[in-house]
Amino acid sequence: MPGTVLLLAAAPAGKGCLVDAASVLPVLAAVPPAVLSGTDTANVIELADPLEPQAVLTRLRAAAGAPGPLTVFVTGQLQLDRRQRLPHLALARTTPSTVRYTGLPWHWLKEELRLRPPGSTTLFADLHADAETWEWLAANRLDSGHNNAVYGRVAPPAARRAVAVPTYMRAVATILRSGWRPPVEQLHQQALARIAEEGPGIVLTAARQPAVGVPPAPVTRPDPHAAITAAVQAGRHPDADSLAAGHERAAVQAHGAGSEQALHWAEVRADLAMLAGDPVRSCRAWMLVALARLSAGQPVDAPAVEAAVDRAHHQWGQIRDAEEARRTGPALADLRTRVPGRRQGALDHVRRQLRQLQTQS
């Protein structure tokens, strides 16, 4: 099965730039796609200094939805939004005051990779942090999802103002240009050895573990996500939903309906409905997740709340039955009134579409 490779290099334009991220793309592009992916053939998606987070999300979603192994190479800089203090990958228009709207939230990347089969996703990252983000990283983990192998580093702020070079990713690319891809752990260690004189910064090493930089815990029982993913890949969508529903019921009984454990499985079921080609059920499931999080006291601008409403909105747009769209739309509009999200005009879009639907017979 062919692999997929996503090359993402992003940094702000102007004086806010900490790293010349795009400079590594020609070196990576010179590597044969099969070597980048570690498969016989591969499709390559390249994003150089993208402007809009939604555009990056679209390409990321397409890459994450492709069958076969996925390898993601991310080069750029991390910044915190001032409101929620969450890490974002800065894009071309990002400034310290606008990062919440112009940067790519790191948790978006994690969310898009969440349902990929265990062991099928590898992320290489060469990230540079400003002083505020570096301080945040001292007390927080850069969560990358439990199914993903992650390798790379986060470089500290430079002692003096200068645009850095992504030396870790350049080292990875240079090694791969030989035409042979060593095992990923070996590739990572070889790249670190080549930049040893710089100091490692924060080394990212996570082979299928919950978060970057934490040693993997012993596995004592099967991963329930693996069985669900296998059912989806075999086209057994009802079986996949039944498995997830069982885990959701158990989480509700053990932890309560508003617990993160229960909400996680509700989100999995919403994703499974999308994968089964049922946008009506997926839209309604995501709306229920958002309402449950709001009922649990989460703020309207909490990332998980916004993500749930955004996904409900997206799935509503996929509904082809006008009557079903009319039936579901008002509840989405009410929810959008409470949770406008980051996308400007989202509420207006729902209302405009509803008006158009009302004119259809």
Side-chain angles (χ1 to χ4, degrees):
M1 185 174 292
T4 300
V5 177
L6 175 62
L7 307 179
L8 171 57
K15 63 180 182 180
C17 182
L18 300 179
V19 58
D20 185 5
S23 67
V24 77
L25 287 178
V27 190
L28 284 169
V31 179
V35 177
L36 286 173
S37 177
T39 56
D40 291 338
T41 60
N43 301 311
V44 179
I45 302 170
E46 181 176 315
L47 289 172
D49 286 328
L51 299 176
E52 300 292 342
Q54 288 293 335
V56 178
L57 179 61
T58 298
R59 305 301 290 275
L60 174 61
R61 186 168 290 162
L70 171 64
T71 307
V72 181
F73 296 85
V74 178
T75 307
Q77 68 188 64
L78 292 175
Q79 291 181 216
L80 298 181
D81 73 276
R82 291 177 173 176
R83 188 169 185 177
Q84 295 177 303
R85 296 187 59 77
L86 293 174
H88 290 60
L89 183 70
L91 303 183
R93 294 175 177 168
T94 299
T95 66
S97 62
T98 67
V99 62
R100 173 174 163 79
Y101 303 100
T102 60
L104 180 77
W106 187 261
H107 63 264
W108 283 11
L109 186 145
K110 171 195 168 185
E111 287 293 318
E112 293 305 318
L113 302 181
R114 180 178 57 179
L115 276 186
R116 285 191 53 78
S120 69
T121 307
T122 304
L123 172 65
F124 288 98
D126 188 339
L127 303 169
H128 290 244
D130 59 16
E132 185 180 25
T133 309
W134 187 253
E135 182 179 349
W136 182 90
L137 288 167
N140 297 274
R141 298 177 300 183
L142 197 62
D143 196 348
S144 61
H146 72 286
N147 279 342
N148 310 322
V150 181
Y151 300 95
R153 71 155 187 172
V154 182
R160 56 194 180 93
R161 192 72 183 177
V163 177
V165 175
T167 52
Y168 171 84
M169 197 65 77
R170 278 182 172 270
V172 168
T174 301
I175 294 167
L176 293 177
R177 284 187 68 179
S178 67
W180 178 69
R181 174 175 168 167
V184 289
E185 174 66 32
Q186 182 180 337
L187 173 60
H188 169 67
Q189 294 298 334
Q190 289 178 1
L192 288 179
R194 293 192 178 206
I195 62 170
E197 70 280 358
E198 299 181 14
I202 297 175
V203 176
L204 308 180
T205 307
R208 287 189 56 200
Q209 65 184 47
V212 170
V214 180
V219 177
T220 58
R221 56 186 176 182
D223 181 358
H225 298 82
I228 292 169
T229 300
V232 171
Q233 291 181 321
R236 296 184 287 107
H237 296 287
D239 291 345
D241 183 68
S242 179
L243 286 169
H247 288 292
E248 183 182 12
R249 287 192 297 271
V252 169
Q253 292 173 359
H255 306 285
S259 66
E260 280 299 323
Q261 293 89 338
L263 289 171
H264 166 76
W265 287 109
E267 291 178 343
V268 169
R269 295 187 68 193
D271 275 335
L272 290 174
M274 178 269 294
L275 293 171
D278 190 344
V280 175
R281 183 159 57 92
S282 182
C283 175
R284 291 174 179 170
W286 278 117
M287 286 196 291
L288 288 174
V289 168
L291 290 169
R293 290 190 176 280
L294 291 170
S295 297
Q298 296 186 23
V300 295
D301 60 354
V305 174
E306 288 185 339
V309 179
D310 286 346
R311 282 165 169 74
H313 191 158
H314 174 75
Q315 287 300 296
W316 184 66
Q318 303 304 305
I319 298 173
R320 296 294 172 253
D321 186 311
E323 181 58 34
E324 288 287 1
R326 279 194 294 267
R327 189 177 295 121
T328 308
L332 177 62
D334 289 343
L335 190 55
R336 265 295 182 209
T337 302
R338 298 175 64 185
V339 186
R342 304 184 185 205
R343 214 172 78 193
Q344 291 186 349
L347 175 59
D348 290 339
H349 174 265
V350 176
R351 290 171 171 167
R352 186 168 60 252
Q353 291 297 108
L354 272 175
R355 287 195 296 269
Q356 292 178 3
L357 286 167
Q358 298 301 332
T359 64
Q360 298 178 16
S361 57

